[in-house]
Amino acid sequence: MTKKIEAIFREERLNAVKEALAAIGIVGLNVFEVRGHGRQGGIVLSGRNGPYKVDLLPRIQLNIILSDHNVEPTIAAIRAAAQTGEIGDGLIFIYPVEEVIRIRTGERASAALHYEGDIDARAEAAEAAAEAAPA
Ligand SMILES: Nc1ncnc2c1ncn2[C@@H]1O[C@H](COP(=O)(O)OP(=O)(O)OP(=O)(O)O)[C@@H](O)[C@H]1O
Ligand SMILES: [Mg+2]
């Protein structure tokens, strides 16, 4: 099964999140600059003429389409890199993905989501190395 991770977090955590994902072998992703609010409905800032409300705050939205078994390690990596512990750290949503088609080749599903040196390629290489090693 294929899933979509949609993570919304602070702009200043983007580099840390990208590095954390690269470190575990997550290759394919895309990023949007979004504005939104959660439970607090924005923040109140103090201006020259008194306090004013900013109800839509800038955040990063990161989308990753990946195989089921890679979802939890990816969530852990994103949380570890994006969390400050303060209100407004963001949210992660997980969706089922119906189908993936690589336009160039017509490959579908997990075949369309293989990348050289990615999290799955690393796991396969580790497994092959373990088998080859004398008991
Ligand atoms: N239900 C939602 N649907 C879509 N996007 C959301 C939703 N809730 C929050 N967001 C997005 O996530 C961003 C961060 O939300 P935020 O971290 O403030 O969530 P929260 O639930 O209020 O948690 P916290 O209590 O930590 O502030 C928002 O600015 C908005 O872009
Ligand atoms: Mg909030």
Side-chain angles (χ1 to χ4, degrees):
M1 276 298 295
T2 307
K3 291 277 166 52
K4 173 182 173 181
I5 294 182
E6 179 182 307
I8 299 172
F9 54 86
R10 298 178 196 280
E11 291 180 306
E12 61 268 27
R13 304 312 297 165
L14 178 57
N15 276 333
V17 170
K18 279 196 298 183
E19 283 168 17
L21 292 171
I24 64 165
I26 295 296
V27 176
L29 54 81
N30 63 65
V31 165
F32 305 83
E33 291 174 15
V34 298
R35 296 197 307 151
H37 61 71
R39 288 188 289 205
Q40 290 77 20
I43 55 169
V44 176
L45 296 176
S46 47
R48 213 179 314 201
N49 303 311
Y52 64 101
K53 183 148 188 169
V54 180
D55 66 345
L56 295 173
L57 298 170
R59 288 287 183 272
I60 294 297
Q61 180 182 319
L62 167 75
N63 291 349
I64 307 170
I65 313 302
L66 74 185
S67 299
D68 248 347
H69 60 269
N70 291 325
V71 168
E72 285 301 331
T74 303
I75 291 172
I78 294 170
R79 283 199 64 219
Q83 188 181 57
T84 70
E86 300 297 317
I87 274 170
D89 272 354
L91 291 165
I92 300 175
F93 305 111
I94 312 294
Y95 307 83
V97 171
E98 195 72 31
E99 186 58 287
V100 183
I101 300 105
R102 177 171 278 133
I103 290 176
R104 178 171 56 85
T105 58
E107 291 165 292
R108 286 180 179 245
S110 60
L113 292 172
H114 275 164
Y115 306 89
E116 210 174 302
D118 73 0
I119 188 167
D120 290 325
R122 290 181 196 184
E124 280 162 30
E127 214 171 288
E131 265 170 41

